[in-house]
Amino acid sequence: MRYAICDMREVDVIRRRLACRGVVQAVGFRPAVHRLAVSLGLAGWVRNDPDGAMIEIEGPIEAVETFQRRLPENLPPLARLDAVEVRAAVALGEQQFTVVVSTAGPRRHALIPPDTMLCDDCRREMDDPSDRRHRYAFITCTNCGPRYSLTYSLPYDRDRTSMACFPLCPACAAEYADPGSRRFHAEPIGCPACGPRLWLAGTGAEPVAEGRAAVVAAQAALSGGQVVAVKGLGGFQLACRADEGAAVRRLRALKRRPTKPFAVMVPDLEVARRLVVLRPEDERWLRASHAPIVLAPRQPGAGLAEDIAPGIDDVGVMLPTTPLHVELFRQAPYPALVMTSGNVTDEPICRGNREARSRLSRIADLLLLHDRDIVHRMDDSVVRATRQGPVVVRRSRGWVPGALALPEAAPDPVLALGAHLQATACLAVGDSAFPSQHVGDLDTELAREFLREVAADLERFLEVQARVLCADLHPDYPSTWLAERLASERGGCVVRVQHHLAHAAAVLGEHGAFPAGDARCAALILDGTGWGTDGTAWGCEWLLLDGQLRWRRVAHATPLPLVGGERAVREPWRVAVAALAVAGCGELPAALPLAGIAPEGQAQQVLELAASGRWPRATGAGRVFEAAGALLGLAAQNGWEGEAAARFETLACRCTESVEPWPEITLPPDVPELPTAQLLGAAARRVIEGESHARVAVGFHATFCRLAAVLARRVFPAKVDVVAIGGGCLVNRLLRYGLQDEFERVGFRPLVPRAVPPGDGGLAYGQAVLATVSMARRVVPREEGVR
């Protein structure tokens, strides 16, 4: 936080105007300012404005100076003060300090916090039988509850939220007006007398039960193995018992989600510890106001259904995020609930009651509804603990609409639209980038409409319309089509950014390490598929980038044939067989587990076709690790993106032995390639020779990481110090740890994603970084020395 003091005159009684920037709306900032000013005997006022909050204080100079000094120390829990500009004002002789009406106008800086978990104070009140909000499913205060999800526009006042249709009762109005109350100017407040109404509905429109009776009836349905759709903070969730395999399998069938892991909600930390292995940092994240899903290894014999996460040891666990969730667990007979997005696979999460009845009635037996509208739909965020701290795998509720820094301020607004998988949008305005919530894969028209929705929401919320649009190089992505359409409608332009360069920019932008001038940095990007500048599929790339945005691809993995095209992405055994063909295998050994999962007769056919040279080739690291999983018989098909690779990581994590990199696999002397075909061939030989599958999995990871670092040392110039390591494969803990260790061993300073998702969920931010740097420096990204 910084102060800028302009044009002051020191007199006995003075008045000063403080323009406050940061997260100062919807967080109890004005009540905190009021309490501090009154405690010091100061007069004046505080109000929200388009840039943040404005304060005028008047009184003795010593008291005014004390106010300025103590303000950063007296912020409410959710507030963040980034800057304060102080100017002299004319003393008016006022005697009181008041909270005044907000001012509207064009917005440049004002931020609103994300939705937050129920706070401890509200939890105590709802547990207290003598409190008027006892067991109230919508209890909230200035320190917790919905914010962005119910806000239409700023400045943040009740009449600009979906709470505007709930007039405050006298008791709530008194709290709202009382500077000593925790609910002083808390916009979402209400109570059973004046707040939102809760009811349970079946397939028809009429309520089955209302109020507390609705919760009791929903508990009974869940206890009996039924599926209940629950209206959460950012949209609907589908719930069922997490300890009953039949209920979980039924939900999988109805949701059309055969194997992708489900998240689990538990009532408290004590239950979480019984179900998964938690480190202190994991517990801190579970209790944090963000309230994310935390991925952690399941405890042996924990009582969760195996179908929660088939073939994967990590389980996504979360605590109740709303008072309604708390009530669902009150005196409940179940220890945990599946709590997954309220949608059919590849569709956006349901937001409204009518939408839920239309889209979820085939899945859910009952719907637990209320009449507080959700303005912005958002899935839960996902965090994975690592030894260097948590990495955000999916950035959504709890983080959005929080801003990320840009290396340089954007001369004009930029709207970036990501790629095709794990899509997000990102709006760059001034020195900040605002990533949207998770949208998902753009395979359906509903998902594509959701991307248009979140992009429009960002622009409406920040009151800008971008004429510079960013998109991926791939010509057939719906996000690219949307960028081109918007640019045409607005008379703007489209900046096309190579997929892996955007991944690199996301890591460099997050760490504030973007190069300037002729300085260069390097990147290793490991993901599944991205459109290369040569028209082929890239995904395991060593890149160089300088401050003039000149970049080069200096090395890559061995391209492997995708026999069957897109089928090879869905069926990783095809890539495994093709790699064996490239490695010189003429016949598939019957002793390989792969032989047991490939359809009869097809494996040998793919082996022969791979040698024909007629198939597209891809360098993707994701394809390689999926192929390794298939090689060991872990998955014939990917039921979700990267499933075979995730099962392969799980197998490696189960190994308790230390395994050294395989010495027989070395880099080719004259070709800047990582020999992935030979690496997969070596894994096959070890399996045939009887080495345990877990040891093979560990050795495979170790060898890949060692070769990647040695190749980087060979192809990156000696003066290059920083290497950004990103891409979706960095969700894999073993790869993350191994690459960092190996790159440090050969003398690099590796940077890895933490606050920005490593996968394509962080791509829009990387696109926005490149576009803003390009405009600010008046240079165009250009590839040099194409390899």
Side-chain angles (χ1 to χ4, degrees), residues 4-23:
I5 303 179
C6 311
D7 194 25
M8 297 284 183
R9 289 188 307 137
E10 304 299 343
V11 293
D12 289 339
V13 174
I14 63 170
R15 189 178 183 94
R16 290 179 180 173
R17 170 170 285 205
L18 286 68
C20 302
R21 307 291 175 254
V23 181

Side-chain angles (χ1 to χ4, degrees), residues 240-245 247-249 251-252 257-265 275-276 298 303-317 336-340 640:
C240 75
R241 290 189 67 147
D243 58 338
E244 289 194 358
V248 176
R249 289 190 293 274
L251 178 55
R252 286 200 175 281
R257 183 168 170 164
T259 55
K260 189 174 183 179
F262 280 143
V264 171
M265 182 176 282
L275 299 182
V276 294
R298 75 170 82 198
L304 289 175
E306 285 299 318
D307 295 280
I308 292 291
I312 308 295
D313 281 350
D314 268 11
V315 172
V317 64
L337 292 172
V338 168
M339 199 65 70
T340 188
W640 45 281

Side-chain angles (χ1 to χ4, degrees), residues 14-80:
I14 63 170
R15 189 178 183 94
R16 290 179 180 173
R17 170 170 285 205
L18 286 68
C20 302
R21 307 291 175 254
V23 181
V24 292
Q25 296 188 18
V27 292
F29 181 77
R30 291 174 297 171
V33 168
H34 183 281
R35 287 190 291 271
L36 179 60
V38 170
S39 72
L40 295 171
L42 294 170
W45 48 260
V46 60
R47 73 182 182 210
N48 287 338
D49 74 0
D51 287 339
M54 188 69 70
I55 304 169
E56 286 201 4
I57 45 173
E58 181 173 329
I61 184 171
E62 296 85 359
V64 171
E65 296 284 359
T66 300
F67 176 91
Q68 290 178 206
R69 186 176 65 254
R70 290 174 54 186
L71 178 60
E73 304 165 3
N74 284 266
L75 298 178
L78 301 180
R80 191 188 74 238

Side-chain angles (χ1 to χ4, degrees), residues 73-122:
E73 304 165 3
N74 284 266
L75 298 178
L78 301 180
R80 191 188 74 238
L81 197 56
D82 295 333
V84 179
E85 182 181 287
V86 184
R87 292 184 180 275
V90 177
L92 302 176
E94 291 180 339
Q95 301 300 310
Q96 292 183 324
F97 194 92
T98 58
V99 177
V100 299
V101 176
S102 302
T103 57
R107 187 159 50 254
R108 293 181 296 275
H109 299 290
L111 299 177
I112 187 173
D115 297 45
T116 60
M117 176 188 276
L118 181 71
C119 72
D120 292 341
D121 289 331
C122 285

